[in-house]
Amino acid sequence: MSEKLRPETLCIQAGYSPKNGEPRQIPIIQSTTYRYESAEAMAKLFDLEATGYFYSRLANPTCDMVAAKIAALEGGAAAMLTGSGQAANFFAVFNLAGCGDHVVASASIYGGTFNLFAVTMQRMGVEFTFVDPECSDDELNAAFRPNTKALFGETIANPALTVLDIERFARAAHAHGVPLIVDNTFATPINCRPFEWGADIVTHSTTKYLDGHGATVGGCIVDSGRFDWMAHKEKFPGLCTPDESYHGVVYAEKFGKEGAFITKATAQLMRDFGAVQSPQNAYYLNLGLESLPLRVRRHCETAQKIAEHLKMHDKIAWVSYCGLPGDKYYERAKKYLPNGSCGVISFGVKGGRNAAAAFMGNLKLAAIETHVADARTCCLHPAGTTHRQMTDEQLAAAGVRADLVRLSCGLENADDLIADIDQALAAI
């Protein structure tokens, strides 16, 4: 049924269908544990022989209802919520790659994700090769190794606003027998559904547009259910060989393409790491999802108007926004993002880093925040904050200039925001 419904309807109806006399809004199951009438019934859960809940560190009904809604929006087979977007990206990769393995990733990704991959997961024995998303096909294919387990990219990179050529990356991944993982946080499933372009796994920081109100931290992983793990079983022993911690279950055999990835991530990684999203946060996230199509449309309309204004301003050195004709990614965005991209604009203020700092300090409506993509307009200097641990070479590879200002357009009136920008620039 969900495949036939449009996103506006799915945002309201998907994930939870109350029966006669049940609550119309999803219930908050604020409980750590669940009662069973026999040890045998609970044993079946521990053996993955039955579905249900026994401890909310692994799974919770409220969280699963919201995850199912996001899966429907993305056109996926299964999904799980996590405690943050970082946890979602970590689980998505670590579910496939362990010590001694290798992953290829676009160099143009969020600084926090880069640190997760290049520093923390490197310490765990997972090696990453970062490629220019605009590299040639030969260069992209050369990055793969026999022990490569995945290819990773962002639909719209934060904050460089690089638009990923999803089809090309998917072809490369599949040619080497591995899945393409795409972080779809900025585009949201309203403006892009990566599975339709060949991606296999999608992640989100639900903290951003999906919640949309700066109220809850969270993440989500969605599996397309299309990647054939058993066809490449030598690459994915975690999915295709017995898991002795669950009495020898082989996830790809027992749960098939549609269920293996998320079941393993839940039963194994969430069990051991506990990066769970609380049911209260999931409830708030669901409220945000109900208005997602309306909000995304407004964010994009406002960003387009502000980007056009900044492009003509004599104190602005450059503007990056794929909705602008002549932008490096304008033509690609027409393919992957025909209804709009996101509400985030990157630009440089003439005068460089000091001028950018002065501009942000003069803003009255837009707050300086380590955040993006919610109802309130905010701005940030990534090179000095979220990406400050990166070297100059790494910053250049990620497309993060020293003078880059990231402006996240909220739901305020666009003309009021433009007036605020103009007065802030005039005061420099």
PDB file of all heavy atoms in Angstrom, residues 8-38:
ATOM      1  N   GLU A   8       3.319  13.066   1.001  1.00  0.00           N
ATOM      2  CA  GLU A   8       2.504  13.838   1.935  1.00  0.00           C
ATOM      3  C   GLU A   8       1.585  12.930   2.753  1.00  0.00           C
ATOM      4  O   GLU A   8       1.341  13.180   3.941  1.00  0.00           O
ATOM      5  CB  GLU A   8       1.663  14.879   1.176  1.00  0.00           C
ATOM      6  CG  GLU A   8       2.460  15.955   0.485  1.00  0.00           C
ATOM      7  CD  GLU A   8       2.961  15.550  -0.901  1.00  0.00           C
ATOM      8  OE1 GLU A   8       2.818  14.357  -1.276  1.00  0.00           O
ATOM      9  OE2 GLU A   8       3.482  16.423  -1.602  1.00  0.00           O
ATOM     10  N   THR A   9       1.072  11.884   2.109  1.00  0.00           N
ATOM     11  CA  THR A   9       0.189  10.945   2.798  1.00  0.00           C
ATOM     12  C   THR A   9       0.987  10.013   3.700  1.00  0.00           C
ATOM     13  O   THR A   9       0.580   9.730   4.836  1.00  0.00           O
ATOM     14  CB  THR A   9      -0.620  10.132   1.772  1.00  0.00           C
ATOM     15  OG1 THR A   9      -1.329  11.030   0.916  1.00  0.00           O
ATOM     16  CG2 THR A   9      -1.612   9.207   2.464  1.00  0.00           C
ATOM     17  N   LEU A  10       2.133   9.549   3.213  1.00  0.00           N
ATOM     18  CA  LEU A  10       2.972   8.661   4.017  1.00  0.00           C
ATOM     19  C   LEU A  10       3.430   9.347   5.297  1.00  0.00           C
ATOM     20  O   LEU A  10       3.519   8.705   6.357  1.00  0.00           O
ATOM     21  CB  LEU A  10       4.177   8.204   3.206  1.00  0.00           C
ATOM     22  CG  LEU A  10       3.896   7.280   2.018  1.00  0.00           C
ATOM     23  CD1 LEU A  10       5.171   7.037   1.224  1.00  0.00           C
ATOM     24  CD2 LEU A  10       3.298   5.960   2.497  1.00  0.00           C
ATOM     25  N   CYS A  11       3.738  10.629   5.225  1.00  0.00           N
ATOM     26  CA  CYS A  11       4.193  11.356   6.409  1.00  0.00           C
ATOM     27  C   CYS A  11       3.138  11.361   7.516  1.00  0.00           C
ATOM     28  O   CYS A  11       3.468  11.485   8.697  1.00  0.00           O
ATOM     29  CB  CYS A  11       4.569  12.800   6.043  1.00  0.00           C
ATOM     30  SG  CYS A  11       6.192  12.934   5.266  1.00  0.00           S
ATOM     31  N   ILE A  12       1.898  11.222   7.138  1.00  0.00           N
ATOM     32  CA  ILE A  12       0.811  11.203   8.114  1.00  0.00           C
ATOM     33  C   ILE A  12       0.411   9.770   8.478  1.00  0.00           C
ATOM     34  O   ILE A  12       0.233   9.436   9.654  1.00  0.00           O
ATOM     35  CB  ILE A  12      -0.422  11.949   7.564  1.00  0.00           C
ATOM     36  CG1 ILE A  12      -0.074  13.398   7.220  1.00  0.00           C
ATOM     37  CG2 ILE A  12      -1.579  11.890   8.567  1.00  0.00           C
ATOM     38  CD1 ILE A  12       0.338  14.242   8.400  1.00  0.00           C
ATOM     39  N   GLN A  13       0.304   8.913   7.473  1.00  0.00           N
ATOM     40  CA  GLN A  13      -0.351   7.622   7.671  1.00  0.00           C
ATOM     41  C   GLN A  13       0.587   6.434   7.890  1.00  0.00           C
ATOM     42  O   GLN A  13       0.182   5.429   8.478  1.00  0.00           O
ATOM     43  CB  GLN A  13      -1.233   7.311   6.452  1.00  0.00           C
ATOM     44  CG  GLN A  13      -2.363   8.310   6.222  1.00  0.00           C
ATOM     45  CD  GLN A  13      -3.504   8.146   7.203  1.00  0.00           C
ATOM     46  OE1 GLN A  13      -3.565   7.173   7.941  1.00  0.00           O
ATOM     47  NE2 GLN A  13      -4.426   9.104   7.224  1.00  0.00           N
ATOM     48  N   ALA A  14       1.813   6.497   7.404  1.00  0.00           N
ATOM     49  CA  ALA A  14       2.681   5.314   7.421  1.00  0.00           C
ATOM     50  C   ALA A  14       3.212   5.017   8.821  1.00  0.00           C
ATOM     51  O   ALA A  14       3.322   5.900   9.674  1.00  0.00           O
ATOM     52  CB  ALA A  14       3.847   5.504   6.451  1.00  0.00           C
ATOM     53  N   GLY A  15       3.537   3.761   9.044  1.00  0.00           N
ATOM     54  CA  GLY A  15       4.214   3.344  10.267  1.00  0.00           C
ATOM     55  C   GLY A  15       3.317   2.869  11.389  1.00  0.00           C
ATOM     56  O   GLY A  15       3.733   2.037  12.203  1.00  0.00           O
ATOM     57  N   TYR A  16       2.093   3.397  11.445  1.00  0.00           N
ATOM     58  CA  TYR A  16       1.198   3.052  12.559  1.00  0.00           C
ATOM     59  C   TYR A  16      -0.243   3.120  12.079  1.00  0.00           C
ATOM     60  O   TYR A  16      -0.692   4.153  11.560  1.00  0.00           O
ATOM     61  CB  TYR A  16       1.413   4.010  13.726  1.00  0.00           C
ATOM     62  CG  TYR A  16       0.400   3.882  14.852  1.00  0.00           C
ATOM     63  CD1 TYR A  16       0.285   2.696  15.575  1.00  0.00           C
ATOM     64  CD2 TYR A  16      -0.420   4.951  15.207  1.00  0.00           C
ATOM     65  CE1 TYR A  16      -0.634   2.582  16.610  1.00  0.00           C
ATOM     66  CE2 TYR A  16      -1.333   4.846  16.252  1.00  0.00           C
ATOM     67  CZ  TYR A  16      -1.432   3.658  16.950  1.00  0.00           C
ATOM     68  OH  TYR A  16      -2.334   3.542  17.992  1.00  0.00           O
ATOM     69  N   SER A  17      -0.968   2.031  12.228  1.00  0.00           N
ATOM     70  CA  SER A  17      -2.386   1.975  11.857  1.00  0.00           C
ATOM     71  C   SER A  17      -3.170   1.493  13.066  1.00  0.00           C
ATOM     72  O   SER A  17      -3.225   0.284  13.348  1.00  0.00           O
ATOM     73  CB  SER A  17      -2.599   1.021  10.672  1.00  0.00           C
ATOM     74  OG  SER A  17      -1.901   1.469   9.535  1.00  0.00           O
ATOM     75  N   PRO A  18      -3.789   2.408  13.811  1.00  0.00           N
ATOM     76  CA  PRO A  18      -4.505   1.997  15.022  1.00  0.00           C
ATOM     77  C   PRO A  18      -5.728   1.153  14.703  1.00  0.00           C
ATOM     78  O   PRO A  18      -6.427   1.374  13.717  1.00  0.00           O
ATOM     79  CB  PRO A  18      -4.914   3.337  15.648  1.00  0.00           C
ATOM     80  CG  PRO A  18      -4.922   4.309  14.511  1.00  0.00           C
ATOM     81  CD  PRO A  18      -3.851   3.857  13.579  1.00  0.00           C
ATOM     82  N   LYS A  19      -5.946   0.165  15.577  1.00  0.00           N
ATOM     83  CA  LYS A  19      -7.133  -0.678  15.456  1.00  0.00           C
ATOM     84  C   LYS A  19      -8.283  -0.032  16.225  1.00  0.00           C
ATOM     85  O   LYS A  19      -8.138   1.034  16.818  1.00  0.00           O
ATOM     86  CB  LYS A  19      -6.838  -2.075  15.989  1.00  0.00           C
ATOM     87  CG  LYS A  19      -5.723  -2.813  15.237  1.00  0.00           C
ATOM     88  CD  LYS A  19      -5.507  -4.197  15.824  1.00  0.00           C
ATOM     89  CE  LYS A  19      -4.433  -4.960  15.048  1.00  0.00           C
ATOM     90  NZ  LYS A  19      -3.106  -4.303  15.115  1.00  0.00           N
ATOM     91  N   ASN A  20      -9.414  -0.688  16.206  1.00  0.00           N
ATOM     92  CA  ASN A  20     -10.613  -0.146  16.834  1.00  0.00           C
ATOM     93  C   ASN A  20     -10.355   0.220  18.296  1.00  0.00           C
ATOM     94  O   ASN A  20      -9.918  -0.612  19.092  1.00  0.00           O
ATOM     95  CB  ASN A  20     -11.748  -1.184  16.762  1.00  0.00           C
ATOM     96  CG  ASN A  20     -13.057  -0.631  17.257  1.00  0.00           C
ATOM     97  OD1 ASN A  20     -13.484   0.424  16.811  1.00  0.00           O
ATOM     98  ND2 ASN A  20     -13.701  -1.335  18.174  1.00  0.00           N
ATOM     99  N   GLY A  21     -10.607   1.476  18.638  1.00  0.00           N
ATOM    100  CA  GLY A  21     -10.476   1.934  20.015  1.00  0.00           C
ATOM    101  C   GLY A  21      -9.054   2.238  20.459  1.00  0.00           C
ATOM    102  O   GLY A  21      -8.827   2.604  21.616  1.00  0.00           O
ATOM    103  N   GLU A  22      -8.046   2.107  19.574  1.00  0.00           N
ATOM    104  CA  GLU A  22      -6.660   2.386  19.938  1.00  0.00           C
ATOM    105  C   GLU A  22      -6.331   3.859  19.709  1.00  0.00           C
ATOM    106  O   GLU A  22      -7.037   4.568  18.981  1.00  0.00           O
ATOM    107  CB  GLU A  22      -5.710   1.496  19.137  1.00  0.00           C
ATOM    108  CG  GLU A  22      -5.801   0.029  19.502  1.00  0.00           C
ATOM    109  CD  GLU A  22      -4.784  -0.820  18.777  1.00  0.00           C
ATOM    110  OE1 GLU A  22      -4.256  -0.356  17.741  1.00  0.00           O
ATOM    111  OE2 GLU A  22      -4.515  -1.946  19.235  1.00  0.00           O
ATOM    112  N   PRO A  23      -5.248   4.359  20.320  1.00  0.00           N
ATOM    113  CA  PRO A  23      -4.897   5.777  20.170  1.00  0.00           C
ATOM    114  C   PRO A  23      -4.666   6.160  18.717  1.00  0.00           C
ATOM    115  O   PRO A  23      -4.063   5.389  17.960  1.00  0.00           O
ATOM    116  CB  PRO A  23      -3.599   5.903  20.982  1.00  0.00           C
ATOM    117  CG  PRO A  23      -3.557   4.722  21.865  1.00  0.00           C
ATOM    118  CD  PRO A  23      -4.302   3.639  21.188  1.00  0.00           C
ATOM    119  N   ARG A  24      -5.124   7.337  18.332  1.00  0.00           N
ATOM    120  CA  ARG A  24      -4.914   7.799  16.949  1.00  0.00           C
ATOM    121  C   ARG A  24      -3.453   8.192  16.734  1.00  0.00           C
ATOM    122  O   ARG A  24      -2.890   7.950  15.681  1.00  0.00           O
ATOM    123  CB  ARG A  24      -5.831   9.002  16.638  1.00  0.00           C
ATOM    124  CG  ARG A  24      -5.748   9.424  15.174  1.00  0.00           C
ATOM    125  CD  ARG A  24      -6.219   8.304  14.272  1.00  0.00           C
ATOM    126  NE  ARG A  24      -5.940   8.527  12.859  1.00  0.00           N
ATOM    127  CZ  ARG A  24      -4.816   8.160  12.247  1.00  0.00           C
ATOM    128  NH1 ARG A  24      -3.840   7.577  12.928  1.00  0.00           N
ATOM    129  NH2 ARG A  24      -4.658   8.354  10.957  1.00  0.00           N
ATOM    130  N   GLN A  25      -2.842   8.835  17.718  1.00  0.00           N
ATOM    131  CA  GLN A  25      -1.427   9.172  17.637  1.00  0.00           C
ATOM    132  C   GLN A  25      -0.606   7.997  18.143  1.00  0.00           C
ATOM    133  O   GLN A  25      -1.076   7.213  18.973  1.00  0.00           O
ATOM    134  CB  GLN A  25      -1.137  10.420  18.491  1.00  0.00           C
ATOM    135  CG  GLN A  25       0.290  10.951  18.467  1.00  0.00           C
ATOM    136  CD  GLN A  25       0.800  11.262  17.091  1.00  0.00           C
ATOM    137  OE1 GLN A  25       1.231  10.358  16.378  1.00  0.00           O
ATOM    138  NE2 GLN A  25       0.757  12.533  16.717  1.00  0.00           N
ATOM    139  N   ILE A  26       0.621   7.843  17.628  1.00  0.00           N
ATOM    140  CA  ILE A  26       1.426   6.715  18.071  1.00  0.00           C
ATOM    141  C   ILE A  26       1.643   6.795  19.579  1.00  0.00           C
ATOM    142  O   ILE A  26       1.894   7.870  20.131  1.00  0.00           O
ATOM    143  CB  ILE A  26       2.777   6.638  17.332  1.00  0.00           C
ATOM    144  CG1 ILE A  26       3.685   7.813  17.688  1.00  0.00           C
ATOM    145  CG2 ILE A  26       2.598   6.524  15.840  1.00  0.00           C
ATOM    146  CD1 ILE A  26       5.110   7.631  17.234  1.00  0.00           C
ATOM    147  N   PRO A  27       1.536   5.683  20.278  1.00  0.00           N
ATOM    148  CA  PRO A  27       1.743   5.686  21.728  1.00  0.00           C
ATOM    149  C   PRO A  27       3.234   5.722  22.065  1.00  0.00           C
ATOM    150  O   PRO A  27       4.060   5.182  21.336  1.00  0.00           O
ATOM    151  CB  PRO A  27       1.125   4.365  22.176  1.00  0.00           C
ATOM    152  CG  PRO A  27       1.242   3.473  20.986  1.00  0.00           C
ATOM    153  CD  PRO A  27       1.121   4.356  19.774  1.00  0.00           C
ATOM    154  N   ILE A  28       3.545   6.363  23.176  1.00  0.00           N
ATOM    155  CA  ILE A  28       4.914   6.373  23.682  1.00  0.00           C
ATOM    156  C   ILE A  28       5.049   5.192  24.643  1.00  0.00           C
ATOM    157  O   ILE A  28       4.500   5.204  25.739  1.00  0.00           O
ATOM    158  CB  ILE A  28       5.234   7.684  24.414  1.00  0.00           C
ATOM    159  CG1 ILE A  28       5.004   8.885  23.495  1.00  0.00           C
ATOM    160  CG2 ILE A  28       6.678   7.676  24.928  1.00  0.00           C
ATOM    161  CD1 ILE A  28       5.102  10.230  24.200  1.00  0.00           C
ATOM    162  N   ILE A  29       5.777   4.175  24.213  1.00  0.00           N
ATOM    163  CA  ILE A  29       5.996   2.999  25.062  1.00  0.00           C
ATOM    164  C   ILE A  29       7.251   3.258  25.885  1.00  0.00           C
ATOM    165  O   ILE A  29       8.358   2.886  25.502  1.00  0.00           O
ATOM    166  CB  ILE A  29       6.128   1.709  24.226  1.00  0.00           C
ATOM    167  CG1 ILE A  29       4.967   1.588  23.231  1.00  0.00           C
ATOM    168  CG2 ILE A  29       6.195   0.490  25.134  1.00  0.00           C
ATOM    169  CD1 ILE A  29       3.601   1.540  23.860  1.00  0.00           C
ATOM    170  N   GLN A  30       7.066   3.947  26.994  1.00  0.00           N
ATOM    171  CA  GLN A  30       8.193   4.365  27.834  1.00  0.00           C
ATOM    172  C   GLN A  30       8.476   3.267  28.855  1.00  0.00           C
ATOM    173  O   GLN A  30       8.191   3.375  30.047  1.00  0.00           O
ATOM    174  CB  GLN A  30       7.873   5.691  28.535  1.00  0.00           C
ATOM    175  CG  GLN A  30       9.059   6.351  29.199  1.00  0.00           C
ATOM    176  CD  GLN A  30      10.078   6.836  28.200  1.00  0.00           C
ATOM    177  OE1 GLN A  30       9.734   7.483  27.221  1.00  0.00           O
ATOM    178  NE2 GLN A  30      11.343   6.517  28.440  1.00  0.00           N
ATOM    179  N   SER A  31       9.057   2.169  28.352  1.00  0.00           N
ATOM    180  CA  SER A  31       9.353   1.033  29.210  1.00  0.00           C
ATOM    181  C   SER A  31      10.660   0.391  28.778  1.00  0.00           C
ATOM    182  O   SER A  31      10.927   0.263  27.576  1.00  0.00           O
ATOM    183  CB  SER A  31       8.225  -0.006  29.125  1.00  0.00           C
ATOM    184  OG  SER A  31       8.493  -1.111  29.964  1.00  0.00           O
ATOM    185  N   THR A  32      11.452  -0.005  29.754  1.00  0.00           N
ATOM    186  CA  THR A  32      12.710  -0.670  29.423  1.00  0.00           C
ATOM    187  C   THR A  32      12.500  -2.138  29.089  1.00  0.00           C
ATOM    188  O   THR A  32      13.250  -2.715  28.302  1.00  0.00           O
ATOM    189  CB  THR A  32      13.705  -0.580  30.596  1.00  0.00           C
ATOM    190  OG1 THR A  32      13.115  -1.206  31.752  1.00  0.00           O
ATOM    191  CG2 THR A  32      14.033   0.866  30.921  1.00  0.00           C
ATOM    192  N   THR A  33      11.484  -2.752  29.696  1.00  0.00           N
ATOM    193  CA  THR A  33      11.303  -4.199  29.566  1.00  0.00           C
ATOM    194  C   THR A  33       9.862  -4.545  29.228  1.00  0.00           C
ATOM    195  O   THR A  33       8.964  -3.696  29.278  1.00  0.00           O
ATOM    196  CB  THR A  33      11.696  -4.912  30.869  1.00  0.00           C
ATOM    197  OG1 THR A  33      11.004  -4.290  31.959  1.00  0.00           O
ATOM    198  CG2 THR A  33      13.188  -4.822  31.112  1.00  0.00           C
ATOM    199  N   TYR A  34       9.635  -5.826  28.931  1.00  0.00           N
ATOM    200  CA  TYR A  34       8.344  -6.300  28.461  1.00  0.00           C
ATOM    201  C   TYR A  34       8.056  -7.651  29.125  1.00  0.00           C
ATOM    202  O   TYR A  34       8.940  -8.501  29.234  1.00  0.00           O
ATOM    203  CB  TYR A  34       8.349  -6.434  26.922  1.00  0.00           C
ATOM    204  CG  TYR A  34       8.766  -5.132  26.265  1.00  0.00           C
ATOM    205  CD1 TYR A  34      10.115  -4.817  26.119  1.00  0.00           C
ATOM    206  CD2 TYR A  34       7.825  -4.195  25.867  1.00  0.00           C
ATOM    207  CE1 TYR A  34      10.512  -3.614  25.566  1.00  0.00           C
ATOM    208  CE2 TYR A  34       8.203  -2.985  25.312  1.00  0.00           C
ATOM    209  CZ  TYR A  34       9.556  -2.689  25.162  1.00  0.00           C
ATOM    210  OH  TYR A  34       9.941  -1.489  24.631  1.00  0.00           O
ATOM    211  N   ARG A  35       6.814  -7.830  29.560  1.00  0.00           N
ATOM    212  CA  ARG A  35       6.448  -9.015  30.330  1.00  0.00           C
ATOM    213  C   ARG A  35       6.018 -10.155  29.419  1.00  0.00           C
ATOM    214  O   ARG A  35       5.281  -9.953  28.438  1.00  0.00           O
ATOM    215  CB  ARG A  35       5.302  -8.675  31.290  1.00  0.00           C
ATOM    216  CG  ARG A  35       4.816  -9.858  32.128  1.00  0.00           C
ATOM    217  CD  ARG A  35       3.661  -9.427  33.023  1.00  0.00           C
ATOM    218  NE  ARG A  35       3.161 -10.536  33.834  1.00  0.00           N
ATOM    219  CZ  ARG A  35       2.230 -11.383  33.419  1.00  0.00           C
ATOM    220  NH1 ARG A  35       1.684 -11.241  32.218  1.00  0.00           N
ATOM    221  NH2 ARG A  35       1.821 -12.365  34.211  1.00  0.00           N
ATOM    222  N   TYR A  36       6.458 -11.369  29.760  1.00  0.00           N
ATOM    223  CA  TYR A  36       6.032 -12.576  29.052  1.00  0.00           C
ATOM    224  C   TYR A  36       5.553 -13.609  30.060  1.00  0.00           C
ATOM    225  O   TYR A  36       5.989 -13.628  31.209  1.00  0.00           O
ATOM    226  CB  TYR A  36       7.170 -13.131  28.192  1.00  0.00           C
ATOM    227  CG  TYR A  36       7.416 -12.274  26.978  1.00  0.00           C
ATOM    228  CD1 TYR A  36       8.289 -11.195  27.029  1.00  0.00           C
ATOM    229  CD2 TYR A  36       6.736 -12.520  25.792  1.00  0.00           C
ATOM    230  CE1 TYR A  36       8.483 -10.374  25.933  1.00  0.00           C
ATOM    231  CE2 TYR A  36       6.923 -11.712  24.682  1.00  0.00           C
ATOM    232  CZ  TYR A  36       7.796 -10.641  24.763  1.00  0.00           C
ATOM    233  OH  TYR A  36       7.965  -9.830  23.664  1.00  0.00           O
ATOM    234  N   GLU A  37       4.662 -14.479  29.615  1.00  0.00           N
ATOM    235  CA  GLU A  37       4.047 -15.441  30.518  1.00  0.00           C
ATOM    236  C   GLU A  37       4.840 -16.734  30.642  1.00  0.00           C
ATOM    237  O   GLU A  37       4.542 -17.554  31.499  1.00  0.00           O
ATOM    238  CB  GLU A  37       2.621 -15.749  30.049  1.00  0.00           C
ATOM    239  CG  GLU A  37       1.700 -14.529  30.156  1.00  0.00           C
ATOM    240  CD  GLU A  37       0.279 -14.845  29.745  1.00  0.00           C
ATOM    241  OE1 GLU A  37       0.054 -15.953  29.222  1.00  0.00           O
ATOM    242  OE2 GLU A  37      -0.600 -13.980  29.938  1.00  0.00           O
ATOM    243  N   SER A  38       5.853 -16.904  29.802  1.00  0.00           N
ATOM    244  CA  SER A  38       6.654 -18.116  29.906  1.00  0.00           C
ATOM    245  C   SER A  38       8.083 -17.838  29.477  1.00  0.00           C
ATOM    246  O   SER A  38       8.338 -16.952  28.646  1.00  0.00           O
ATOM    247  CB  SER A  38       6.066 -19.240  29.045  1.00  0.00           C
ATOM    248  OG  SER A  38       6.266 -18.971  27.674  1.00  0.00           O
TER     249      SER A  38
END
